[in-house]
Amino acid sequence: MKKYILIFFLLTLVMIIGCNEKNQDSIQENGGVSVNLICSRQDNIKECTDQQFNDLQSFQVFKTALDSAEKMSGMINYVAEYNLKIKFQDQTTKTFHLSLGTDKDMNGLLVDLENTNQGYEIPVIHANKLRELIKG
């Protein structure tokens, strides 16, 4: 009887370890990164939907836009289109307000939620890449 219990325990352990390794492989494939967009528009004028991106290519579009954003001077007055949460490869997370609008000639606006008085302009080229990605 002890022999069967030991075999059952070992098989269960092998299955658990195998499932965990699959999960870890999946996380390593995308570097463990994710981008979550939560629609925060209150005006309902334009359609806005929550979205999640877990692939490295989409993550890189967001990361490039964040890296290219330039600090704005003065106080800002804005309405956030999205609450943006990014999980980086080191598993740290950052949260922002993101506003892009639909005008392809306009910069995007990024506001770090740690300091909502400071805005950052996303250059038109990167704002347009974000618009295309979000539009689908």
Side-chain angles (χ1 to χ4, degrees):
M1 183 69 168
K2 287 184 182 182
K3 181 179 176 182
Y4 292 113
I5 293 174
L6 181 61
I7 291 172
F8 176 76
F9 176 74
L10 288 174
L11 286 175
T12 305
L13 185 62
V14 168
M15 287 177 36
I16 291 171
I17 290 172
C19 290
N20 283 342
E21 285 179 11
K22 265 188 181 177
N23 233 0
Q24 289 299 323
D25 289 346
S26 164
I27 289 170
Q28 288 172 358
E29 284 175 15
N30 76 356
V33 299
S34 66
V35 177
N36 290 306
L37 283 175
I38 307 298
C39 186
S40 63
R41 292 185 64 112
Q42 302 293 323
D43 58 16
N44 294 327
I45 294 172
K46 295 191 175 89
E47 190 175 318
C48 182
T49 57
D50 297 350
Q51 296 183 46
Q52 182 171 12
F53 302 91
N54 292 314
D55 60 290
L56 282 174
Q57 186 176 2
S58 297
F59 171 80
Q60 194 58 46
V61 171
F62 280 94
K63 184 167 181 340
T64 301
L66 267 62
D67 291 344
S68 69
E70 297 179 10
K71 191 174 188 177
M72 298 169 65
S73 59
M75 296 291 287
I76 58 171
N77 183 9
Y78 72 98
V79 174
E81 286 182 78
Y82 293 98
N83 290 322
L84 169 64
K85 181 178 180 181
I86 298 182
K87 183 166 82 172
F88 295 92
Q89 290 173 326
D90 65 359
Q91 302 306 301
T92 60
T93 58
K94 290 286 289 178
T95 53
F96 304 90
H97 282 156
L98 175 66
S99 296
L100 296 170
T102 57
D103 187 343
K104 295 205 178 258
D105 294 326
M106 296 293 293
N107 292 329
L109 174 67
L110 184 69
V111 178
D112 189 331
L113 292 184
E114 289 182 10
N115 180 5
T116 56
N117 292 319
Q118 179 62 60
Y120 296 85
E121 284 184 314
I122 301 171
V124 171
I125 189 167
H126 298 296
N128 283 335
K129 288 180 182 180
L130 288 173
R131 288 179 187 108
E132 290 171 19
L133 180 64
I134 292 169
K135 199 185 241 186

